[in-house]
Amino acid sequence: MALGNESRHGMWSSRWLFVLAAAGSAVGLGNIWKFPYIVGEHGGGAFVLVYLACILLIGVPIMMSETLLGRAGRESPINTMRKLTTTHNKSRFWVAIGWMGVVAGILILSYYAVIAGWALFYIWRMASGTYEGATPEFAQETFASFQAEPLHMMAWQTLFMILTVYIVGRGVIKGLETAIRWFMPLLFVLLIVLLGYSSQSGGFDEAVTFMFRFNWESLTPQAVLIAMGQAFFTLSLGMGTIMAYGAYLPNNTSIAGTVFTIAALDTLVAIAAGLVIFPIVFANGLATDSGPGLMFVTIPLAFSMLPGGAIFGAVFFLLVSFAAITSAISLTEPALAYLVEEYNAKRRRVSITLGVLCWLLGIGSVLSFNAWSDMPLLGQPTFFALVDHFSQNILLPLGGLLISLFAAYVLPKTVLAEQLGIRSGFGRTIWVLLTGIVAPLSVLLVFISALWPGGFDRLLALVA
Ligand code: PHE
């Protein structure tokens, strides 16, 4: 069976649309909400360095692998893996990559919608002038009292889920394309405005030191696992999203250049978000390790002191919500495309079913901030923490590991050469070095050191 040139779901009209769509998927709550708060929880500098290393050494090769597998198969991740394994007579085991991705996507979307719901609520909260002249205590208390009300939170979670299901159901490419074209540049502009503000806030130097100074003591194996998980999460890797989007990528596009652009954009937004949030934290004597609420306290506070802050603040949370929607949509694509292919089902029906499933699961995350906040589960402090940890730190890296191994060793050289345009033995050596050795070995080492008690020391003893 020949590999297809067109996907039945449609094709991006150019390389730039793929860049936009993949960047829309990558840039989201992971960059603006999550990155600053986990940097804060893990003591800054050394964590950021490990994160950057993970993006470059693990993220980029795996994103290239996902894109090329998607383009080689031109189906949903599950069917792409079925097609590639059957065509080239390889073990069906590799189809597990597709299934794991579907599970990860549903788990992630379940809590993603909850946090995105907070952002929706904050559009309204900022616009109504709640924060004019606010003090740090006021910003903290208003956030805490919102978190204490599960029904209120659920209302916004539901609204976000309805919006996502609506857009996904209508078909992604047209609606999304226009949205991303406008909103991503706007998000950049607003981040730059905020950077200007926070650089004047008096805490900028302290923030830069905090984010870029290497304090090795804070770097536990657990923190390294979280940095790696974040690299996967922020680039939307390891669960088939990029594979699904790669399936719609035209054949004549260079994968390497495209992937670098996406990774660079994503990293810039995350660093910028950190450089906006931490100066405000330091200037106001807030705690760096205040967790998931960090952005929802610092950003309203910053805007409360700016002229026209209510409007700008509302626009900021509007853009965060948009960034979240373009990511949420991509979280459903692997499952959605599969169900459409397999059952010849209508996109709208499938998206409603998936939406309801994620919504139900998401209630567990809503309750984790109030009624269930004291209910540890399997070693994690709450249900939300468990779902987040299991999907981001286990499922995504595991998926990524399998993807890189498949792309480096199982996929025939001819397909690889055709997809990547590798012509020389040298090119292939670099590819195998990065995708077949550096990326999977790094993932494995991080897993062993973090998940196996004392594993890191034993590993060292073996080598020494
Ligand atoms: N990359 C998105 C973010 O940073 C989240 C995401 C993860 C989207 C996995 C798709 C797949 O917010």
Side-chain angles (χ1 to χ4, degrees), residues 368-441:
S368 302
F369 294 96
N370 34 70
W372 292 358
S373 63
D374 279 329
M375 215 163 74
L377 268 176
L378 298 169
Q380 293 294 320
T382 57
F383 178 84
F384 159 74
L386 178 68
V387 176
D388 182 26
H389 173 72
F390 179 65
S391 52
Q392 158 165 334
N393 300 334
I394 312 281
L395 276 181
L396 299 190
L398 198 62
L401 175 70
L402 295 179
I403 288 168
S404 66
L405 291 176
F406 184 83
Y409 301 115
V410 185
L411 196 71
K413 286 188 193 126
T414 45
V415 182
L416 204 64
E418 183 185 67
Q419 288 298 331
L420 289 180
I422 293 181
R423 271 169 220 101
S424 60
F426 179 68
R428 200 184 132 69
T429 313
I430 301 268
W431 173 256
V432 171
L433 191 72
L434 277 180
T435 315
I437 298 174
V438 175
L441 209 61

Side-chain angles (χ1 to χ4, degrees), residues 285-297:
L286 300 169
T288 49
D289 59 353
S290 58
L294 189 62
M295 175 178 93
F296 295 91
V297 173

Side-chain angles (χ1 to χ4, degrees), residues 22-34 104-105 108 111-112 230-242 266 323-324 326-332 334 396:
S25 165
V27 174
L29 295 174
N31 310 60
I32 310 169
W33 161 73
K34 196 174 224 173
I108 293 175
Y111 71 81
Y112 208 84
Q230 173 65 9
F232 276 95
F233 185 84
T234 191
L235 293 177
S236 307
L237 293 180
M239 56 147 288
T241 285
I242 298 295
D266 186 80
T326 52
S327 302
I329 285 165
S330 74
L331 278 162
T332 65
L396 299 190

Side-chain angles (χ1 to χ4, degrees), residues 35-54 205-220 223-224 227 271 274-275 278 282 288:
F35 176 73
Y37 97 70
I38 57 177
V39 169
E41 282 178 337
H42 295 281
F47 182 87
V48 175
L49 183 75
V50 175
Y51 164 81
L52 290 177
C54 289
D205 291 347
E206 217 176 324
V208 171
T209 315
F210 177 71
M211 276 181 73
F212 298 108
R213 197 201 57 211
F214 306 137
N215 45 339
W216 293 114
E217 325 79 64
S218 67
L219 210 61
T220 57
V224 179
I271 300 279
L275 287 177
F278 286 116
F282 288 115
T288 49

